[in-house]
Amino acid sequence: MRSILLCNELDPAKRVYSEETLSYLYKNAGLEKGVINKEAVLAEPEKYADVDFIFSTWSMPAFTEEEIRSIFKNLKCVFYGAGTVQAFARPFLKCGVKVFSAWAANAVPVAEYTVAQILLANKGFFPCSYFQSKGEYFDSKKAFENYPGNFGEFVGIIGAGMIGKLVIQLLKAFKLKVLVFDPFLPDEKAQELGVEKCSLEELFEKCFVVSNHLANNAQTQGMLNYALFSKMRPYSTFINTGRGAQVVEDDLVRILTERPDIYAILDVTMPEPPISGHQFYKLPNCILTPHIAGSSGTEVHRMAEFMAEEFTLYVEGKPCRYEVTEKMLETMA
């Protein structure tokens, strides 16, 4: 059995694969020490004909079907210790190579971040902090009166994929009513999750906090626009940890300008960061964070651990949890 750690950049591999996980893979997967990039593979392709497994993370190189078939003649699986595989997975899948992704591991901190923001938004944390930090105590107390808290309030989740489902599950610890927009969510699954399906329009009209978790594809780009934002309840909050391209950002700027009672918490924008001078920087009701919701610090080790666990399940002939199929790529982030 032979495995390689394949990344075009060294730093992501060093960050994601802890010494503990590497030791396990050295012993059990025949992982070779060191990180290999695409340039090295193409320079000596004959050296990789007997590779059984590829482990990777951010900066995984893309290969054509022809390259895969001619170089990785014995390859069985790619274990990707990160989230989206859209940039490289299809050629591998078409060559019969299984692809596994740690999207579920990366979903955990995103869901945790989102739930924290939802709870804070319902308490009026953002306007209260804004006024209080300027010494405007009475304005802060007055703003606080506009927020309902976290008992029985409506929260809207756009997209019930891996992250959306995790957010819903974490919210079960609180007495919140969750509405979901997701055309791909079966009614029986919605019932199992304890949520109510509805249209995007109804979700924006009813929910005090709306959180975006749509998959990033051509169909979802520009889906969230002024017509929807204009339906938001007084003092409500929009959270985006999905992708900036899903929001018509000029429309969001417009509604935030027209309605200073509404807040937007944006961990993603298009581009990232927003261009110099963008209105997002000037609006007091727009909270920007630099794409921090995903795995960071030691959280990234979870992604490599998930892939080591998938490898073990695969070689033991047990059902794997995070295999990616071509069909899944149509709706995955």
Side-chain angles (χ1 to χ4, degrees), residues 34-108:
V35 180
I36 298 164
N37 59 27
K38 184 175 181 178
E39 183 178 357
V41 171
L42 295 182
E44 298 180 282
E46 67 281 355
K47 291 178 60 175
Y48 303 95
D50 63 343
V51 168
D52 298 288
F53 304 108
I54 289 174
F55 290 86
S56 189
T57 183
W58 298 306
S59 83
M60 165 70 185
F63 289 87
T64 65
E65 291 180 46
E66 182 180 355
E67 288 172 334
I68 294 166
R69 290 194 173 95
S70 63
I71 298 171
F72 300 112
K73 298 176 181 179
N74 199 47
L75 186 63
K76 301 172 181 64
C77 306
V78 174
F79 296 99
Y80 184 66
T84 180
V85 297
Q86 294 283 5
F88 71 86
R90 282 181 177 83
F92 283 100
L93 293 172
K94 290 184 180 298
C95 292
V97 176
K98 292 182 178 294
V99 175
F100 299 88
S101 165
W103 80 81
N106 201 38
V108 174

Side-chain angles (χ1 to χ4, degrees), residues 115-223:
V115 169
Q117 300 299 339
I118 289 170
L119 298 178
L120 290 173
N122 277 334
K123 294 287 286 186
F125 172 86
F126 302 102
C128 290
S129 174
Y130 173 75
F131 289 117
Q132 190 78 5
S133 297
K134 297 198 300 178
E136 298 173 2
Y137 174 76
F138 291 103
D139 287 334
S140 180
K141 290 292 287 184
K142 186 177 180 181
F144 180 64
E145 296 172 0
N146 297 314
Y147 291 84
N150 288 294
F151 187 86
E153 190 48 76
F154 281 96
V155 172
I157 303 298
I158 308 174
M162 178 64 70
I163 295 173
K165 286 188 178 74
L166 274 177
V167 172
I168 292 165
Q169 290 164 2
L170 291 174
L171 287 175
K172 286 183 178 179
F174 309 94
K175 295 292 184 178
L176 292 162
K177 301 172 184 175
V178 180
L179 302 184
V180 173
F181 169 79
D182 190 328
F184 300 100
L185 181 67
D187 292 341
E188 58 271 20
K189 186 61 178 179
Q191 186 174 2
E192 179 185 323
L193 289 169
V195 300
E196 178 184 339
K197 291 172 62 176
C198 68
S199 67
L200 268 177
E201 290 76 12
E202 184 180 0
L203 186 144
F204 273 88
E205 286 175 350
K206 285 189 174 181
C207 296
F208 201 76
V209 178
V210 174
S211 185
N212 175 43
H213 305 283
L214 285 170
N216 189 39
N217 53 49
Q219 290 70 39
T220 62
Q221 290 179 9
M223 180 180 285

Side-chain angles (χ1 to χ4, degrees), residues 224 244-245 247-254 268-271 278 280:
L224 306 179
V247 174
V248 180
E249 293 186 337
D250 287 346
D251 288 2
L252 183 56
V253 167
R254 178 183 170 189
V268 290
T269 56
M270 186 64 183
H278 197 284
F280 283 156

